[in-house]
């Protein structure tokens, strides 16, 4: 069983200035490699910890039985709702619990 790979869960992005973000499409810095350890940022930053907890997802993503495998796009959720934990607006799936 795969653990899913989505923004902040299995990947991260380090920008030219050293900012560590969950992905290149999710411009929310969780820290900076010039001021901190990249492993500690990934493991301990509140943003990364939240993104690895699919029980915190909202909307359809929060109700979806596949949230631990898929999780939707956190970048699209943020772009559409301003909430990184919101639902992925481009997912066509409607969970039974929604």
């Amino acid at each position: 069983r795969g653990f899913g790979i989505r923004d902040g869960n299995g990947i991260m992005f380090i920008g030219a200035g050293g900012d560590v973000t969950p992905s290149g499409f999710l411009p929310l810095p969780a820290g900076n490699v010039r001021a901190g350890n990249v492993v500690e940022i990934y493991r301990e930053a509140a943003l990364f910890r939240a993104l690895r907890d699919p029980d915190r997802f909202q909307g359809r993503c929060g109700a979806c039985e596949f949230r631990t495998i898929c999780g939707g796009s956190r970048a699209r959720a943020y772009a559409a709702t301003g909430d990184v934990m919101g639902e992925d607006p481009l997912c066509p799936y409607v969970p039974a619990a929604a």
Side-chain angles (χ1 to χ4, degrees), residues 4-5 8 12 14 18-20 33 35-36 46-47 57 60 63 67 71 75 79 90-91 95:
I5 295 178
M12 67 179 160
I14 302 173
D19 283 340
V20 179
V33 296
L47 176 59
F57 296 164
R60 289 180 298 133
R67 71 184 171 276
L90 295 184
C91 178

Side-chain angles (χ1 to χ4, degrees), residues 40-94:
E40 288 180 19
I41 294 169
Y42 178 80
R43 288 181 181 167
E44 303 301 328
L47 176 59
F48 279 96
R49 292 174 68 90
L51 291 171
R52 290 191 297 267
D53 183 2
D55 290 335
R56 294 182 62 179
F57 296 164
Q58 301 296 311
R60 289 180 298 133
C61 289
C64 184
E65 60 271 27
F66 302 111
R67 71 184 171 276
T68 59
I69 298 169
C70 169
S73 170
R74 303 296 89 218
R76 282 194 302 254
Y78 181 71
T81 68
D83 181 4
V84 72
M85 305 308 281
E87 70 179 53
D88 179 347
L90 295 184
C91 178
Y93 185 69
V94 178

